[in-house]
């Protein structure tokens, strides 16, 4: 349900219309070919999974789910609390992604945020779904080839994201381990959101963390201003 909002915010109306027409055609063709009862069974299976597997945490499936919802449930939280904590994380992620698509950020940044947000907002994501992280990693690497070099923080987070599908298998064999994706996915999203910030925001952030650099810059600007004024006054004389 996220991509229709993204296409709408990005004013990609043709993509939105194509998606709606394609979904309608596939639904109609499948209904005519296999019958309406198949759709009813599909919704019944989804309801069974929600009640039996997800909410009751049966079958150990929670250990294979790198979501905030599953982590809270594994830590002993109730179903309402797990959904509430998941919403606290998912809502800002959705709003930030919509903002990136509204502000016409670079395509690589928008695509990266869209994929990561899609993975983060799902409460029932499984570890094999993390294979989709290949797309954000490729987009981030392509974006970095045309911009500044990697920082140590960015490099470490992207490397962890690359290893995340394999690391997410560990809790299935070692129940005491929590899913690392609960930390790696938000970290990767933060890196992406900073890439979508305008230059003025990045400059303000840089000055906040490096006040000495800001002082040096201001001092240099004042010196240059004084030199310019001296040259102008000398010419007038």
């Amino acid at each position: 349900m996220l991509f229709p909002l993204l296409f709408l915010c990005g004013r990609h109306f043709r993509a939105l219309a194509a998606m709606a027409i394609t979904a309608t055609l596939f639904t109609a063709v499948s209904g005519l070919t296999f019958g309406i009862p198949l759709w009813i069974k599909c919704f019944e299976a989804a309801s069974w999974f929600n009640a039996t597997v997800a909410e009751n945490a049966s079958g150990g499936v929670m250990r294979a789910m790198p979501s905030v919802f599953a982590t809270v449930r594994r830590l002993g939280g109730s179903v309402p609390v797990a959904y509430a904590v998941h919403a606290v994380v998912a809502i800002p992620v959705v709003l930030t992604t919509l903002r990136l698509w509204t502000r016409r950020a670079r395509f690589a940044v928008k695509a990266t945020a869209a994929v990561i947000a899609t993975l983060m907002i799902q409460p029932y994501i499984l570890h094999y779904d993390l294979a989709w992280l290949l797309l954000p990693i490729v987009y981030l690497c392509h974006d970095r080839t045309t911009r500044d070099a990697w920082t140590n923080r960015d490099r470490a987070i992207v490397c962890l994201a690359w290893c995340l599908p394999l690391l997410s298998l560990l809790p299935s064999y070692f129940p005491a381990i929590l899913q690392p994706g609960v930390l790696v996915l938000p970290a990767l999203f933060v890196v992406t959101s900073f890439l979508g910030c305008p230059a003025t925001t990045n400059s303000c952030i840089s000055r906040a963390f490096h006040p000495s650099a800001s002082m040096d810059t201001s001092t240099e600007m004042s010196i240059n201003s004084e030199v310019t004024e001296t040259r102008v006054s000398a010419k007038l004389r």
Side-chain angles (χ1 to χ4, degrees), residues 20-80:
I21 294 173
T22 303
T24 303
L25 289 177
F26 271 100
T27 303
V29 170
S30 64
L32 293 174
T33 305
F34 303 105
I36 302 300
L38 181 64
W39 281 97
I40 298 176
K41 289 293 183 180
C42 177
F43 289 115
E44 290 178 352
S47 178
W48 171 85
F49 178 85
N50 183 56
T52 305
V53 179
E55 294 186 355
N56 296 327
S58 63
V61 69
M62 290 295 175
R63 298 199 300 268
M65 297 171 64
S67 67
V68 176
F69 171 83
T71 301
V72 175
R73 292 286 287 137
R74 288 190 63 192
L75 293 175
S78 63
V79 174

Side-chain angles (χ1 to χ4, degrees), residues 128-139:
Y128 53 73
D129 294 319
L130 296 176
W132 286 103
L133 284 176
L134 177 64
L135 293 177
I137 293 172
V138 170
Y139 284 132

Side-chain angles (χ1 to χ4, degrees), residues 148-199:
D148 298 334
W150 290 96
T151 64
N152 292 331
R153 178 201 61 186
D154 297 343
R155 188 181 296 110
I157 293 174
V158 172
C159 289
L160 286 175
W162 175 264
C163 300
L164 188 58
L166 180 61
L167 296 176
S168 297
L169 295 175
L170 295 178
S172 299
Y173 299 97
F174 304 97
I177 301 177
L178 295 178
Q179 277 288 346
V182 179
L183 298 177
V184 177
L185 287 177
L188 188 63
F189 186 81
V190 169
V191 170
T192 304
S193 62
F194 272 109
L195 291 177
C197 293

Side-chain angles (χ1 to χ4, degrees), residues 1-24 101:
M1 296 300 294
L2 181 60
F3 275 86
L5 295 176
L6 297 179
F7 289 153
L8 186 62
C9 291
R11 299 181 180 180
H12 301 292
F13 300 118
R14 288 187 295 180
L16 181 62
M19 182 183 65
I21 294 173
T22 303
T24 303
W101 280 69

